[in-house]
Amino acid sequence: TQYTIPDSVTSIGYGAFYCCYSLTSVTIPDSVTSIGDWAFSVCDSLISITIPDSVKSIGSQAFCYCTSLTSITIPDGVTSIGEYAFLGCNSLKEVYCKPATPPTGGFSMFANNASGRKIYVPSNSVSAYKSASGWSEYASAIVGYDF
């Protein structure tokens, strides 16, 4: 139910934890720089995951259908988020996106999240996020936040 990824790991590969239905918590070390496509897809019991500042990219469908996930923080270092990355996370109510520059956003990365879901971004970057490709479809959910 809980897993700590070893410090020697630098990348979480394609489908690494795909359909790990009992997984509730994952600890990712600072050595990891990328989370691959489908890495945690359909981990429907996953409620707690901390993405470290070292991560630069979150792959396509990396967390899709993680239906128990209620909150996620995207760290400063992330420069790209793949398409459908958080698709169908229907309990996801809060997304905290720390980068001042909007990461490259994939198509429908936050589709079918919880009703009323908010995407918190740095207060000085609200307009940049609301107009950025991949982010503009969520403009009404984007809110300024002082991290």
Side-chain angles (χ1 to χ4, degrees), residues 4 17 22 33 43 46 60-61 97 136 145:
T4 298
F17 294 90
S22 297
T33 59
C43 292
L46 185 63
S60 295
Q61 301 182 44
C97 194
S136 60
Y145 190 81

mmCIF file with all atom_site columns, all heavy atoms in Angstrom, residues 4 17 22 33 43 46 60-61 97 136 145:
data_model
loop_
_atom_site.group_PDB
_atom_site.id
_atom_site.type_symbol
_atom_site.label_atom_id
_atom_site.label_alt_id
_atom_site.label_comp_id
_atom_site.label_asym_id
_atom_site.label_entity_id
_atom_site.label_seq_id
_atom_site.pdbx_PDB_ins_code
_atom_site.Cartn_x
_atom_site.Cartn_y
_atom_site.Cartn_z
_atom_site.occupancy
_atom_site.B_iso_or_equiv
_atom_site.pdbx_formal_charge
_atom_site.auth_seq_id
_atom_site.auth_comp_id
_atom_site.auth_asym_id
_atom_site.auth_atom_id
_atom_site.pdbx_PDB_model_num
ATOM 1  N N   . THR A 1 4   ? 8.315  3.484  -1.143  1.00 0.00 ? 4   THR A N   1
ATOM 2  C CA  . THR A 1 4   ? 9.337  4.514  -1.240  1.00 0.00 ? 4   THR A CA  1
ATOM 3  C C   . THR A 1 4   ? 10.274 4.116  -2.367  1.00 0.00 ? 4   THR A C   1
ATOM 4  O O   . THR A 1 4   ? 10.888 3.050  -2.329  1.00 0.00 ? 4   THR A O   1
ATOM 5  C CB  . THR A 1 4   ? 10.116 4.656  0.081   1.00 0.00 ? 4   THR A CB  1
ATOM 6  O OG1 . THR A 1 4   ? 9.192  5.047  1.112   1.00 0.00 ? 4   THR A OG1 1
ATOM 7  C CG2 . THR A 1 4   ? 11.217 5.696  -0.036  1.00 0.00 ? 4   THR A CG2 1
ATOM 8  N N   . PHE A 1 17  ? 3.863  1.791  -12.261 1.00 0.00 ? 17  PHE A N   1
ATOM 9  C CA  . PHE A 1 17  ? 2.925  1.423  -11.194 1.00 0.00 ? 17  PHE A CA  1
ATOM 10 C C   . PHE A 1 17  ? 1.498  1.297  -11.727 1.00 0.00 ? 17  PHE A C   1
ATOM 11 O O   . PHE A 1 17  ? 0.539  1.372  -10.969 1.00 0.00 ? 17  PHE A O   1
ATOM 12 C CB  . PHE A 1 17  ? 2.968  2.472  -10.068 1.00 0.00 ? 17  PHE A CB  1
ATOM 13 C CG  . PHE A 1 17  ? 4.279  2.517  -9.345  1.00 0.00 ? 17  PHE A CG  1
ATOM 14 C CD1 . PHE A 1 17  ? 5.298  3.353  -9.783  1.00 0.00 ? 17  PHE A CD1 1
ATOM 15 C CD2 . PHE A 1 17  ? 4.515  1.709  -8.251  1.00 0.00 ? 17  PHE A CD2 1
ATOM 16 C CE1 . PHE A 1 17  ? 6.517  3.396  -9.124  1.00 0.00 ? 17  PHE A CE1 1
ATOM 17 C CE2 . PHE A 1 17  ? 5.736  1.741  -7.587  1.00 0.00 ? 17  PHE A CE2 1
ATOM 18 C CZ  . PHE A 1 17  ? 6.738  2.586  -8.028  1.00 0.00 ? 17  PHE A CZ  1
ATOM 19 N N   . SER A 1 22  ? -3.950 -1.164 -4.865  1.00 0.00 ? 22  SER A N   1
ATOM 20 C CA  . SER A 1 22  ? -3.859 -1.018 -3.411  1.00 0.00 ? 22  SER A CA  1
ATOM 21 C C   . SER A 1 22  ? -2.880 0.068  -2.978  1.00 0.00 ? 22  SER A C   1
ATOM 22 O O   . SER A 1 22  ? -2.776 0.366  -1.797  1.00 0.00 ? 22  SER A O   1
ATOM 23 C CB  . SER A 1 22  ? -3.450 -2.346 -2.773  1.00 0.00 ? 22  SER A CB  1
ATOM 24 O OG  . SER A 1 22  ? -4.431 -3.318 -3.025  1.00 0.00 ? 22  SER A OG  1
ATOM 25 N N   . THR A 1 33  ? 13.968 12.794 -12.006 1.00 0.00 ? 33  THR A N   1
ATOM 26 C CA  . THR A 1 33  ? 13.802 13.991 -12.834 1.00 0.00 ? 33  THR A CA  1
ATOM 27 C C   . THR A 1 33  ? 12.618 13.887 -13.799 1.00 0.00 ? 33  THR A C   1
ATOM 28 O O   . THR A 1 33  ? 12.207 14.887 -14.365 1.00 0.00 ? 33  THR A O   1
ATOM 29 C CB  . THR A 1 33  ? 15.073 14.294 -13.645 1.00 0.00 ? 33  THR A CB  1
ATOM 30 O OG1 . THR A 1 33  ? 15.371 13.172 -14.475 1.00 0.00 ? 33  THR A OG1 1
ATOM 31 C CG2 . THR A 1 33  ? 16.254 14.592 -12.716 1.00 0.00 ? 33  THR A CG2 1
ATOM 32 N N   . CYS A 1 43  ? -4.128 3.970  -10.470 1.00 0.00 ? 43  CYS A N   1
ATOM 33 C CA  . CYS A 1 43  ? -3.818 3.642  -9.066  1.00 0.00 ? 43  CYS A CA  1
ATOM 34 C C   . CYS A 1 43  ? -4.953 4.280  -8.266  1.00 0.00 ? 43  CYS A C   1
ATOM 35 O O   . CYS A 1 43  ? -4.796 5.356  -7.682  1.00 0.00 ? 43  CYS A O   1
ATOM 36 C CB  . CYS A 1 43  ? -2.460 4.196  -8.659  1.00 0.00 ? 43  CYS A CB  1
ATOM 37 S SG  . CYS A 1 43  ? -1.071 3.399  -9.473  1.00 0.00 ? 43  CYS A SG  1
ATOM 38 N N   . LEU A 1 46  ? -4.609 5.660  -4.646  1.00 0.00 ? 46  LEU A N   1
ATOM 39 C CA  . LEU A 1 46  ? -3.524 6.599  -4.367  1.00 0.00 ? 46  LEU A CA  1
ATOM 40 C C   . LEU A 1 46  ? -4.093 7.916  -3.848  1.00 0.00 ? 46  LEU A C   1
ATOM 41 O O   . LEU A 1 46  ? -4.843 8.599  -4.537  1.00 0.00 ? 46  LEU A O   1
ATOM 42 C CB  . LEU A 1 46  ? -2.699 6.845  -5.630  1.00 0.00 ? 46  LEU A CB  1
ATOM 43 C CG  . LEU A 1 46  ? -1.461 7.712  -5.478  1.00 0.00 ? 46  LEU A CG  1
ATOM 44 C CD1 . LEU A 1 46  ? -0.449 7.057  -4.544  1.00 0.00 ? 46  LEU A CD1 1
ATOM 45 C CD2 . LEU A 1 46  ? -0.827 7.965  -6.839  1.00 0.00 ? 46  LEU A CD2 1
ATOM 46 N N   . SER A 1 60  ? 2.479  11.854 -20.297 1.00 0.00 ? 60  SER A N   1
ATOM 47 C CA  . SER A 1 60  ? 1.083  11.698 -20.697 1.00 0.00 ? 60  SER A CA  1
ATOM 48 C C   . SER A 1 60  ? 0.416  10.617 -19.861 1.00 0.00 ? 60  SER A C   1
ATOM 49 O O   . SER A 1 60  ? 0.986  9.551  -19.638 1.00 0.00 ? 60  SER A O   1
ATOM 50 C CB  . SER A 1 60  ? 1.000  11.315 -22.174 1.00 0.00 ? 60  SER A CB  1
ATOM 51 O OG  . SER A 1 60  ? 1.486  12.352 -22.982 1.00 0.00 ? 60  SER A OG  1
ATOM 52 N N   . GLN A 1 61  ? -0.767 10.925 -19.392 1.00 0.00 ? 61  GLN A N   1
ATOM 53 C CA  . GLN A 1 61  ? -1.586 10.009 -18.615 1.00 0.00 ? 61  GLN A CA  1
ATOM 54 C C   . GLN A 1 61  ? -0.872 9.462  -17.370 1.00 0.00 ? 61  GLN A C   1
ATOM 55 O O   . GLN A 1 61  ? -1.228 8.403  -16.853 1.00 0.00 ? 61  GLN A O   1
ATOM 56 C CB  . GLN A 1 61  ? -2.103 8.877  -19.508 1.00 0.00 ? 61  GLN A CB  1
ATOM 57 C CG  . GLN A 1 61  ? -2.922 9.424  -20.653 1.00 0.00 ? 61  GLN A CG  1
ATOM 58 C CD  . GLN A 1 61  ? -3.499 8.368  -21.550 1.00 0.00 ? 61  GLN A CD  1
ATOM 59 O OE1 . GLN A 1 61  ? -4.018 7.370  -21.075 1.00 0.00 ? 61  GLN A OE1 1
ATOM 60 N NE2 . GLN A 1 61  ? -3.418 8.591  -22.851 1.00 0.00 ? 61  GLN A NE2 1
ATOM 61 N N   . CYS A 1 97  ? 0.236  24.589 -8.615  1.00 0.00 ? 97  CYS A N   1
ATOM 62 C CA  . CYS A 1 97  ? 1.248  24.583 -9.671  1.00 0.00 ? 97  CYS A CA  1
ATOM 63 C C   . CYS A 1 97  ? 2.218  25.729 -9.400  1.00 0.00 ? 97  CYS A C   1
ATOM 64 O O   . CYS A 1 97  ? 1.891  26.898 -9.608  1.00 0.00 ? 97  CYS A O   1
ATOM 65 C CB  . CYS A 1 97  ? 0.574  24.722 -11.034 1.00 0.00 ? 97  CYS A CB  1
ATOM 66 S SG  . CYS A 1 97  ? 1.672  24.322 -12.389 1.00 0.00 ? 97  CYS A SG  1
ATOM 67 N N   . SER A 1 136 ? -5.271 27.343 -21.019 1.00 0.00 ? 136 SER A N   1
ATOM 68 C CA  . SER A 1 136 ? -6.374 28.278 -21.262 1.00 0.00 ? 136 SER A CA  1
ATOM 69 C C   . SER A 1 136 ? -7.747 27.625 -21.121 1.00 0.00 ? 136 SER A C   1
ATOM 70 O O   . SER A 1 136 ? -8.699 28.280 -20.725 1.00 0.00 ? 136 SER A O   1
ATOM 71 C CB  . SER A 1 136 ? -6.224 28.933 -22.637 1.00 0.00 ? 136 SER A CB  1
ATOM 72 O OG  . SER A 1 136 ? -6.229 27.965 -23.663 1.00 0.00 ? 136 SER A OG  1
ATOM 73 N N   . TYR A 1 145 ? -2.114 32.461 -6.125  1.00 0.00 ? 145 TYR A N   1
ATOM 74 C CA  . TYR A 1 145 ? -1.762 31.925 -4.805  1.00 0.00 ? 145 TYR A CA  1
ATOM 75 C C   . TYR A 1 145 ? -0.352 32.369 -4.472  1.00 0.00 ? 145 TYR A C   1
ATOM 76 O O   . TYR A 1 145 ? 0.517  32.409 -5.338  1.00 0.00 ? 145 TYR A O   1
ATOM 77 C CB  . TYR A 1 145 ? -1.838 30.390 -4.860  1.00 0.00 ? 145 TYR A CB  1
ATOM 78 C CG  . TYR A 1 145 ? -1.724 29.700 -3.519  1.00 0.00 ? 145 TYR A CG  1
ATOM 79 C CD1 . TYR A 1 145 ? -2.810 29.588 -2.678  1.00 0.00 ? 145 TYR A CD1 1
ATOM 80 C CD2 . TYR A 1 145 ? -0.501 29.150 -3.117  1.00 0.00 ? 145 TYR A CD2 1
ATOM 81 C CE1 . TYR A 1 145 ? -2.705 28.936 -1.469  1.00 0.00 ? 145 TYR A CE1 1
ATOM 82 C CE2 . TYR A 1 145 ? -0.382 28.500 -1.897  1.00 0.00 ? 145 TYR A CE2 1
ATOM 83 C CZ  . TYR A 1 145 ? -1.487 28.385 -1.072  1.00 0.00 ? 145 TYR A CZ  1
ATOM 84 O OH  . TYR A 1 145 ? -1.381 27.757 0.120   1.00 0.00 ? 145 TYR A OH  1
#
